[in-house]
Structure formats: C-alpha cells, structure tokens
Amino acid sequence: MKTPTLNHWLYGIWVALLIMIPADEAYTAEGGVVDTYKNATAPFDENTVDAALSLPIPSVLVTERYQGGRFWVETRKDKMQRFKCRQCHNNKPVKVTRAAEIAHGQIALKHGSESRPLSCYTCHKKDERDFLVTEQGTKIDMDHSYQMCGQCHFRQKKDWVGGAHGKRISYWAGQRVVKNCTGCHDPHSPRFKKRWPVIYSPPLSKSQ
Amino acid sequence: MDPRKNKICKKPEEKDCRQTKPCGRREFLKGAAKAAALGGAAMLTGCGGGMLGSKEELSLRWKEYFKKHYRLMTQEEKEGTVRRLESLAKIQNGVNIQMSSTAPIDGVLFGYAFNVTRCEGYMECVAACVKENNLDRKSNMQYIRIFEMEHGQLTPEVGNAKFYHQVPVEDHFYMGVQCNQCQNAPCVKACPTKATWQEPDGIVVVDYDWCIGCRYCIAACPYYGRRFNWNDPVVPEEEMTKKQHYLGNRMRGRGQMEKCTFCVQRSRAGRLPACVEACPTGARVFGNLLDPDSEIRFVLKNKKVFRWKEDLGTDPKFWYFVD
C-alpha cells in the first residue's frame, strides 16, 4: 500500500520541477540592465559622439594606462602663481626679508598624521625646486603630481586611474581628460573644508 | 462621407501604421477646428487682431497645438517644432534660445553612480541643476535632494533633507536622490497619455506638451524623482540656459510634469550632466554602460555598489557606491 503514495509524491515533484525550471530560466533570461551592460563587451567607438573630439583644456598625457588605454590630466604648472620656483630658489640664498612669509604665508601645512606631519621637503625637491621628489628620490614633474600622491594614497590612485575617484572634465565621451589630485585637493591641507552649502532644499510642499 | 475627411486621410507620406489608424477622429476634428478658426480669424481681422498676438505668432501657436506626439514625429517634423518653439520664445518673451532635438546616440546606455563616502553635502550639484535645467525659481523647484544621514541609517527616507548648517557634520554621510532613470520605470507605466517614455539611451523623458498633469507618475515613482509645475515657471532671462533640448530643459508650463533627464541637452552632446560637472568632491560618476572601458563600468566592477529599492524590480540605472 506504500508504493502508490510514494509514486504519487514523485509525480507531484516531477510536475513541480517541470513548471519551476522553465519559469526560473525565463526569469533569469529577462535580465535587466545589469545583464545588458555585462553582455556589452565590444569597445565603444568614441567617434560616434562628434561633439567631444577635441581636447578642451590644457592637459598632459598620463604615464599610466587605464582600462581604455591612454588618458590625460589637467596641467598644473600654468595655474601656479609663482612658477617657476627657481626664479627665487636658485643656488643662492634668498635675501629678501620676510620672503617666506610674503610668498608662502598662506600655506597652512596640515597633511599627514599629527604625530608625524609632513614637511616641505617630504614632497618638494630641495635642490631643484621646480620639481617634486618621491621617497625613493625620483624627480617628479609638477604636472604629474599624481605620482607623488600615489605613494601613500595608492588605493585612491588606483580608483583615480580607473575612474572611481576624482573627476573627468566636462565630457563623458571623447578623450578622457581628468582633474589632477591638486585640481580638487589643496596639497598642503588636502581634507575638504567645512563650509556652508551653496543652496538649501525648501521644505517638501504638496507633491514635491 | 465628409469629403474633407477623406482628403486629409489620403496623405501619401504617412507610412507609419500607428499614424494612419487614428486618422478618423483626430484628423477630422483638426480639419473641423481649422475651418471654424478660419471663420473666426476672418472676423478678428476686422476688429483688431492684436489681442491674440501677431499673425505669425498665431500661426506658430496653432501649428504647435496640433503637432504630433514627439515619438511619432519624423526628424524633419521634430526640427520643425523646435524651430517654431525658438521663434515663439523670441516673439513672446524676446529670448534667443537654441533648441535641439538631438536623437539618442547608438550604442549608448547612460548610467550614473553616486559615491556615498565622498559626498560632503555642499549642494553645488543642486545649484548647478537649477541653473542648467531652467527650474522654477518661484516655487524653488529642485530635481536633486541631498539627505544628511547618520551612520547606520539605511534609507534616505529617514534622513534629513532640510539641513542648512556648515557641512560636513561628523558621523554623518550624505546621499543624493534624483531620478533613477529606471529601465523598468513605474512612472512610464502609470502615464495614461504616454507623455513619458524611455529613450533608447535609457533616459526617461517627458513630452511636456503631451502631459495632462494628472500626476499619476508622481504617485508611481518610488524615488520621488518627479516634479509638478503648480505655476508657470519663473526664470529670469539673464539666468536662463539658452541651449535647450525639446525633451530636456526647455521651458515648461503650468500643470506639466518634469524630471531629471541626465541633462539630455548635454549628455547627448558628449558632455557630463551639470550635477556631475559641478560636484566639488568627485562623488558623481557618469558614463556609457555599454562601453566596457568607461568609468561607470570600472565603478560597477571594482567598487561595492548597491541600488536603492532594488527589490521593487524597477531596475534603476543609478548606483550608489562606497569607497
């Protein structure tokens, strides 16, 4: 008397499986936007967007490559007030009184841990002031300061090269031109300042 | 049989079957209204037609009133309506605008990512959005809301969007909310007049002239992404963005819905939306989801991402991520 009931159950399970398997397949085949982008592996032809072909701002080629090849970074040297530094910092000592205060008085160095803050010469090359210098002693151009910052902030640099940190300038299409680290952060005091929002949200009214 | 009806129906250039079908009622009414108005206009010329504006304005408004749904227009018809709207803006408000009807780009599906760790609540994005999209200054309309949230809070619904103090505040994070441009958008399904739809590049747009202002879409949207014009939008001319798109930042009227379009007038020209460009902390990432080398794809592949209310099945193209 037991076998018919068992068979009965087995039939039931078979029927349930027959219904569930195609239903499950249909659900997964439906996909959605995640599957859509995961299936899109062909490189995008940037030339289809004609508005973004020229480099809009002064920029230099980054020495590293991201997933899509080469990219550019906004220049820094042409935006610095007193570049070139060797106008004052040549081999002779600076003789102007209070020169440091006049020229660099606005710098408030707040970088690094409180117990071990950074000093000027952690980044600036002492004997060649137009350049930066890494911990290993490699000379770095001011336009390529990301190489300097990336020594410690390597996670941020990895994200910056890929595109998760930092900003692209103006265009999502065309040649990739991004802001340098110093485009957003003050290198001497890199944390963003506390300030007032530029606008406020009105209280929700009616349907908004 | 009304001979006029037959005459209008036999348009040789009508190829779209959707076009020829409603020919009967709509076209008949159009013809009948034309005839009535001709009579009316003939009378008006006698007694000072200046009341309703110049003849040119009247003709432009007439053509605008009886235009087709944007999706059913050919590219030439789209160009035509865009030119008419430009002339109308010139005649009515004395503003020189450049409107476009740029079509979606092939092989592009826009996606957006918002870095919850990086946003500091400076609201630069909101200000840029208001400026770029010609949002109503009278009712302070804003597409983006930034929620100040305590650590551990999981949804903006418990956050504070009305903060006005120095930011960032310790032990808080900021989460921006705007239209999620859902791939399976509830607002599109709710619209009774098909005035809102999703474009092939993934942007959910509104044909403002087709909207009847029923606000079903507001009720349907789980992301509070839609806005309604309770009054005619007021934008000072010197602050107006003159580069406009038919589906984007052109001027709306009272009783019409509007929403974030990822700045369609910019993004289809290869530029970043205004909020992305304005963000001072780089918390916003925008790009083409179908391009494996794009920044948005890097974020989706390498960062911890989530979508808000993913369980609803709306399939948003707006991700949040943390560093």
Side-chain angles (χ1 to χ4, degrees), chain A residues 31-34 36-44 46 48-49 51-52 66-68 156 158-173 176 178 184 192-208, chain B residues 106-110 118 120-124 126 140 142 145 161-162 164-168 170 218 227-228 230 267 269-272 276-277 279-282 285-286 288-295 297-300 303 307 315-317 321:
Chain A
V33 74
V34 173
T36 310
Y37 80 70
K38 279 188 178 160
N39 292 333
T41 46
F44 176 65
E46 300 281 9
T48 49
V49 192
Y66 86 122
Q67 65 269 28
Q156 282 83 346
K158 185 172 160 273
D159 281 350
W160 176 79
V161 170
H165 186 109
K167 269 177 76 112
R168 205 169 154 151
I169 297 170
S170 248
Y171 293 91
W172 63 265
R176 182 177 179 230
V178 295
C184 302
F192 289 123
K193 300 283 174 304
K194 206 169 176 167
R195 64 173 161 98
W196 286 91
V198 291
I199 196 172
Y200 75 100
S201 279
L204 286 171
S205 66
K206 288 180 183 168
S207 59
Q208 292 167 24
Chain B
D106 284 336
V108 173
L109 185 68
F110 289 121
R118 292 274 163 239
E120 309 270 33
Y122 296 136
M123 307 274 279
E124 302 264 6
V126 182
N140 280 327
Q142 294 167 356
R145 291 189 84 83
K162 288 179 255 176
Y164 194 64
H165 46 67
Q166 289 206 329
V167 287
E170 285 75 28
I218 292 193
R227 302 288 181 271
F228 184 69
W230 291 94
S267 50
R271 295 188 66 193
L272 293 166
V276 180
E277 196 170 315
C279 181
T281 63
V285 180
F286 179 81
N288 181 8
L289 286 172
L290 303 182
D291 176 8
D293 304 328
S294 66
E295 294 169 313
R297 285 284 289 272
F298 178 86
V299 170
L300 295 177
K303 308 300 285 185
R307 292 186 285 178
D315 211 9
K317 290 190 288 297
F321 69 105

Side-chain angles (χ1 to χ4, degrees), chain A residues 68-140:
Chain A
R70 296 182 298 173
F71 68 111
W72 286 259
V73 70
E74 196 181 26
T75 51
R76 164 89 172 142
K77 284 189 278 199
D78 54 351
K79 292 174 191 70
M80 288 161 77
Q81 279 178 5
R82 293 192 179 79
F83 201 77
K84 297 177 168 180
C85 312
R86 67 163 176 259
Q87 288 166 21
C88 302
H89 298 284
N90 38 33
N91 293 326
K92 293 160 230 151
V94 182
K95 279 184 184 143
V96 185
T97 43
R98 294 172 62 233
E101 203 177 308
I102 293 162
H104 306 302
Q106 84 284 10
I107 293 173
L109 196 62
K110 207 180 170 193
H111 196 161
S113 66
E114 288 203 1
S115 55
R116 280 177 59 212
L118 306 187
S119 76
C120 308
Y121 303 124
T122 318
C123 303
H124 291 279
K125 198 166 187 328
K126 203 169 181 178
D127 50 347
E128 237 177 315
R129 295 296 175 92
D130 288 345
F131 293 91
L132 302 167
V133 65
T134 62
E135 290 293 304
Q136 283 92 24
T138 318
K139 195 165 82 172
I140 285 174

Side-chain angles (χ1 to χ4, degrees), chain B residues 4-154:
Chain B
R4 190 194 288 117
K5 187 179 165 188
N6 274 340
K7 209 172 112 196
I8 298 168
C9 275
K10 276 179 202 158
K11 273 186 182 172
E13 68 271 16
E14 298 283 10
K15 281 169 203 156
D16 196 338
C17 60
R18 284 173 298 182
Q19 269 323 111
T20 46
K21 225 163 98 193
C23 202
R25 191 174 54 96
R26 176 172 287 276
E27 294 295 309
F28 171 70
L29 285 175
K30 194 169 152 182
K34 247 181 198 166
L38 275 173
M43 282 194 292
L44 267 177
T45 41
C47 46
M51 259 171 68
L52 286 172
S54 68
K55 208 173 166 186
E56 192 196 351
E57 187 192 341
L58 213 62
S59 135
L60 288 169
R61 275 168 60 185
W62 178 267
K63 281 178 189 154
E64 271 303 288
Y65 194 77
F66 282 110
K67 69 184 170 190
K68 276 188 252 172
H69 189 292
Y70 188 76
R71 283 174 94 180
L72 301 179
M73 287 184 200
T74 59
Q75 194 56 39
E76 292 86 67
E77 285 171 320
K78 285 176 185 172
E79 291 299 321
T81 191
V82 158
R83 294 291 89 76
R84 282 200 295 274
L85 288 168
E86 277 178 354
S87 327
L88 271 174
K90 178 76 188 147
I91 295 166
Q92 290 174 336
N93 304 318
V95 193
N96 285 315
I97 55 170
Q98 302 133 36
M99 203 183 287
S100 81
S101 56
T102 318
I105 308 157
D106 284 336
V108 173
L109 185 68
F110 289 121
Y112 203 113
F114 184 97
N115 191 337
V116 178
T117 319
R118 292 274 163 239
C119 180
E120 309 270 33
Y122 296 136
M123 307 274 279
E124 302 264 6
C125 50
V126 182
C129 172
V130 168
K131 171 87 180 61
E132 170 68 29
N133 289 302
N134 295 327
L135 300 190
D136 180 25
R137 310 295 202 272
K138 193 175 163 193
S139 65
N140 280 327
M141 190 186 286
Q142 294 167 356
Y143 289 164
I144 307 171
R145 291 189 84 83
I146 306 287
F147 287 84
E148 186 175 72
M149 290 161 61
E150 283 170 36
H151 284 166
Q153 287 183 330
L154 290 174

Side-chain angles (χ1 to χ4, degrees), chain B residues 205-238:
Chain B
V205 291
V206 182
D207 185 346
Y208 308 119
D209 293 334
W210 224 251
C211 173
I212 56 169
C214 68
R215 289 173 281 142
Y216 282 16
C217 50
I218 292 193
C221 178
Y223 303 104
Y224 317 107
R226 291 190 157 248
R227 302 288 181 271
F228 184 69
N229 284 296
W230 291 94
N231 52 278
D232 273 316
V234 181
V235 181
E237 201 214 311
E238 63 276 11

